[in-house]
Amino acid sequence: MQPSKRSDTKMKILKVAIDLFAAKGFDHVTIREIAREVGIKGSSIYNHFQGKDDILEEIFRFNESEWDLAYGDSGAEMADMSLSEMLIGLMQKSFQSLQSPLQAKIFTIISQEQLHNDMIRQYFYRDYMIGAREELKRQFDVLLEKGRIRYPDTAFLANEFHAYIIYKYYEHVLRKESELDIARLREELLKHIEFFVRAIDSY
């Protein structure tokens, strides 16, 4: 079935909003400006969204769906992997998503706006912090059950591993770098994974 004109317009609004929010900041973009870039009347936006906050929530949903597509059924896929293979696999999937131009713009919006936009701050905390730690714990639980790691406190392992990721994220934000240096970040995370795996294996 072909997508409807209404759904096409909604996606176009969403992509234009992502472009504008990333370039100018959420507070500095108006509904009228989004409509003008889409090529529709300002009032027509409200056939698809209730307002800017509703557009932002849809961006969150779109972002989550893109990450879900990237990760797939990671539990089944990684069930027979070692700790090192599992962590490297998660890192590679994350990089694949971050290298998408649209995902990069959403990342920019989240980075720029989270300290003064409560909706974005809550989203970042829920998905990028708590959600990411829960996913790591789930993966560590599988490895513990299969005897591939011996350290029993998988919640602690998840928090410890993830803390470095959050540090690197804020280092990027505070430097105000326009783009992620994927090659440098990959090298640093591979060292982090190697160190982490050796520490766990020594338990």
mmCIF file of all heavy atoms in Angstrom, residues 95 99 168 172 175 177-188:
data_model
loop_
_atom_site.group_PDB
_atom_site.id
_atom_site.type_symbol
_atom_site.label_atom_id
_atom_site.label_comp_id
_atom_site.label_asym_id
_atom_site.label_seq_id
_atom_site.Cartn_x
_atom_site.Cartn_y
_atom_site.Cartn_z
ATOM 1 N N PHE A 95 27.211 3.307 16.266
ATOM 2 C CA PHE A 95 27.892 4.141 15.281
ATOM 3 C C PHE A 95 27.135 4.170 13.958
ATOM 4 O O PHE A 95 27.075 5.195 13.282
ATOM 5 C CB PHE A 95 29.319 3.650 15.063
ATOM 6 C CG PHE A 95 30.269 4.032 16.157
ATOM 7 C CD1 PHE A 95 31.458 3.349 16.333
ATOM 8 C CD2 PHE A 95 29.984 5.073 17.021
ATOM 9 C CE1 PHE A 95 32.341 3.697 17.344
ATOM 10 C CE2 PHE A 95 30.851 5.430 18.036
ATOM 11 C CZ PHE A 95 32.034 4.743 18.195
ATOM 12 N N GLN A 99 25.799 7.722 12.337
ATOM 13 C CA GLN A 99 26.317 8.185 11.055
ATOM 14 C C GLN A 99 25.207 8.501 10.058
ATOM 15 O O GLN A 99 25.477 9.015 8.980
ATOM 16 C CB GLN A 99 27.281 7.139 10.477
ATOM 17 C CG GLN A 99 28.615 7.117 11.222
ATOM 18 C CD GLN A 99 29.551 6.033 10.728
ATOM 19 O OE1 GLN A 99 29.245 4.846 10.770
ATOM 20 N NE2 GLN A 99 30.713 6.437 10.249
ATOM 21 N N LYS A 168 32.058 10.577 27.647
ATOM 22 C CA LYS A 168 32.472 10.948 26.292
ATOM 23 C C LYS A 168 31.414 11.807 25.613
ATOM 24 O O LYS A 168 31.745 12.719 24.847
ATOM 25 C CB LYS A 168 32.748 9.695 25.456
ATOM 26 C CG LYS A 168 33.897 8.836 25.937
ATOM 27 C CD LYS A 168 35.183 9.617 26.131
ATOM 28 C CE LYS A 168 35.729 10.221 24.861
ATOM 29 N NZ LYS A 168 37.013 10.940 25.087
ATOM 30 N N HIS A 172 32.050 15.748 24.333
ATOM 31 C CA HIS A 172 31.707 16.246 22.998
ATOM 32 C C HIS A 172 30.840 17.494 23.091
ATOM 33 O O HIS A 172 31.073 18.485 22.393
ATOM 34 C CB HIS A 172 30.982 15.152 22.219
ATOM 35 C CG HIS A 172 30.256 15.637 21.009
ATOM 36 N ND1 HIS A 172 30.905 15.964 19.830
ATOM 37 C CD2 HIS A 172 28.936 15.886 20.789
ATOM 38 C CE1 HIS A 172 30.015 16.381 18.941
ATOM 39 N NE2 HIS A 172 28.819 16.335 19.489
ATOM 40 N N ARG A 175 32.769 20.586 24.394
ATOM 41 C CA ARG A 175 33.708 21.102 23.391
ATOM 42 C C ARG A 175 32.990 21.854 22.276
ATOM 43 O O ARG A 175 33.624 22.543 21.480
ATOM 44 C CB ARG A 175 34.496 19.938 22.770
ATOM 45 C CG ARG A 175 35.599 19.380 23.641
ATOM 46 C CD ARG A 175 36.258 18.195 22.948
ATOM 47 N NE ARG A 175 37.406 17.703 23.691
ATOM 48 C CZ ARG A 175 38.076 16.595 23.367
ATOM 49 N NH1 ARG A 175 37.705 15.895 22.316
ATOM 50 N NH2 ARG A 175 39.105 16.209 24.086
ATOM 51 N N GLU A 177 31.693 20.633 19.610
ATOM 52 C CA GLU A 177 32.133 20.147 18.305
ATOM 53 C C GLU A 177 30.919 20.021 17.392
ATOM 54 O O GLU A 177 29.850 19.575 17.802
ATOM 55 C CB GLU A 177 32.824 18.793 18.454
ATOM 56 C CG GLU A 177 34.107 18.870 19.287
ATOM 57 C CD GLU A 177 34.634 17.503 19.669
ATOM 58 O OE1 GLU A 177 33.827 16.562 19.759
ATOM 59 O OE2 GLU A 177 35.849 17.385 19.888
ATOM 60 N N SER A 178 31.077 20.420 16.150
ATOM 61 C CA SER A 178 29.956 20.388 15.216
ATOM 62 C C SER A 178 29.609 18.970 14.794
ATOM 63 O O SER A 178 28.456 18.669 14.498
ATOM 64 C CB SER A 178 30.275 21.230 13.967
ATOM 65 O OG SER A 178 31.449 20.753 13.335
ATOM 66 N N GLU A 179 30.609 18.083 14.771
ATOM 67 C CA GLU A 179 30.376 16.703 14.369
ATOM 68 C C GLU A 179 31.172 15.761 15.272
ATOM 69 O O GLU A 179 32.233 16.120 15.783
ATOM 70 C CB GLU A 179 30.799 16.476 12.912
ATOM 71 C CG GLU A 179 29.958 17.235 11.902
ATOM 72 C CD GLU A 179 30.387 16.933 10.473
ATOM 73 O OE1 GLU A 179 31.312 16.110 10.299
ATOM 74 O OE2 GLU A 179 29.808 17.525 9.557
ATOM 75 N N LEU A 180 30.632 14.563 15.446
ATOM 76 C CA LEU A 180 31.369 13.547 16.178
ATOM 77 C C LEU A 180 32.563 13.078 15.344
ATOM 78 O O LEU A 180 32.443 12.846 14.146
ATOM 79 C CB LEU A 180 30.466 12.347 16.458
ATOM 80 C CG LEU A 180 29.533 12.408 17.666
ATOM 81 C CD1 LEU A 180 28.626 11.185 17.667
ATOM 82 C CD2 LEU A 180 30.309 12.486 18.963
ATOM 83 N N ASP A 181 33.697 12.948 16.003
ATOM 84 C CA ASP A 181 34.860 12.338 15.353
ATOM 85 C C ASP A 181 34.720 10.834 15.568
ATOM 86 O O ASP A 181 35.200 10.288 16.571
ATOM 87 C CB ASP A 181 36.142 12.882 15.972
ATOM 88 C CG ASP A 181 37.394 12.388 15.259
ATOM 89 O OD1 ASP A 181 37.305 11.343 14.586
ATOM 90 O OD2 ASP A 181 38.441 13.034 15.391
ATOM 91 N N ILE A 182 34.041 10.159 14.629
ATOM 92 C CA ILE A 182 33.714 8.752 14.794
ATOM 93 C C ILE A 182 34.964 7.894 14.917
ATOM 94 O O ILE A 182 35.033 6.978 15.743
ATOM 95 C CB ILE A 182 32.838 8.251 13.628
ATOM 96 C CG1 ILE A 182 31.472 8.974 13.638
ATOM 97 C CG2 ILE A 182 32.624 6.745 13.715
ATOM 98 C CD1 ILE A 182 30.604 8.656 14.822
ATOM 99 N N ALA A 183 35.987 8.172 14.109
ATOM 100 C CA ALA A 183 37.211 7.361 14.138
ATOM 101 C C ALA A 183 37.893 7.452 15.502
ATOM 102 O O ALA A 183 38.313 6.430 16.077
ATOM 103 C CB ALA A 183 38.165 7.810 13.036
ATOM 104 N N ARG A 184 37.996 8.672 16.029
ATOM 105 C CA ARG A 184 38.630 8.856 17.342
ATOM 106 C C ARG A 184 37.799 8.207 18.439
ATOM 107 O O ARG A 184 38.335 7.527 19.329
ATOM 108 C CB ARG A 184 38.797 10.355 17.641
ATOM 109 C CG ARG A 184 39.576 10.641 18.941
ATOM 110 C CD ARG A 184 39.526 12.115 19.278
ATOM 111 N NE ARG A 184 38.189 12.507 19.711
ATOM 112 C CZ ARG A 184 37.775 13.776 19.801
ATOM 113 N NH1 ARG A 184 38.598 14.752 19.443
ATOM 114 N NH2 ARG A 184 36.564 14.056 20.217
ATOM 115 N N LEU A 185 36.488 8.401 18.376
ATOM 116 C CA LEU A 185 35.611 7.833 19.387
ATOM 117 C C LEU A 185 35.657 6.306 19.350
ATOM 118 O O LEU A 185 35.664 5.656 20.399
ATOM 119 C CB LEU A 185 34.174 8.324 19.166
ATOM 120 C CG LEU A 185 33.141 7.894 20.210
ATOM 121 C CD1 LEU A 185 33.558 8.344 21.604
ATOM 122 C CD2 LEU A 185 31.769 8.465 19.859
ATOM 123 N N ARG A 186 35.688 5.730 18.150
ATOM 124 C CA ARG A 186 35.768 4.271 18.021
ATOM 125 C C ARG A 186 37.038 3.735 18.695
ATOM 126 O O ARG A 186 36.996 2.740 19.422
ATOM 127 C CB ARG A 186 35.748 3.878 16.550
ATOM 128 C CG ARG A 186 35.674 2.365 16.314
ATOM 129 C CD ARG A 186 35.911 2.049 14.838
ATOM 130 N NE ARG A 186 34.950 2.713 13.991
ATOM 131 C CZ ARG A 186 33.737 2.231 13.705
ATOM 132 N NH1 ARG A 186 33.369 1.073 14.216
ATOM 133 N NH2 ARG A 186 32.914 2.902 12.919
ATOM 134 N N GLU A 187 38.166 4.416 18.438
ATOM 135 C CA GLU A 187 39.434 3.984 19.036
ATOM 136 C C GLU A 187 39.379 4.059 20.555
ATOM 137 O O GLU A 187 39.823 3.136 21.254
ATOM 138 C CB GLU A 187 40.571 4.864 18.506
ATOM 139 C CG GLU A 187 41.949 4.481 19.029
ATOM 140 C CD GLU A 187 43.047 5.369 18.488
ATOM 141 O OE1 GLU A 187 42.767 6.178 17.567
ATOM 142 O OE2 GLU A 187 44.192 5.256 18.974
ATOM 143 N N GLU A 188 38.813 5.145 21.084
ATOM 144 C CA GLU A 188 38.723 5.311 22.536
ATOM 145 C C GLU A 188 37.792 4.275 23.159
ATOM 146 O O GLU A 188 38.092 3.723 24.232
ATOM 147 C CB GLU A 188 38.246 6.729 22.858
ATOM 148 C CG GLU A 188 39.278 7.794 22.516
ATOM 149 C CD GLU A 188 38.724 9.204 22.640
ATOM 150 O OE1 GLU A 188 37.497 9.355 22.748
ATOM 151 O OE2 GLU A 188 39.538 10.146 22.637
#
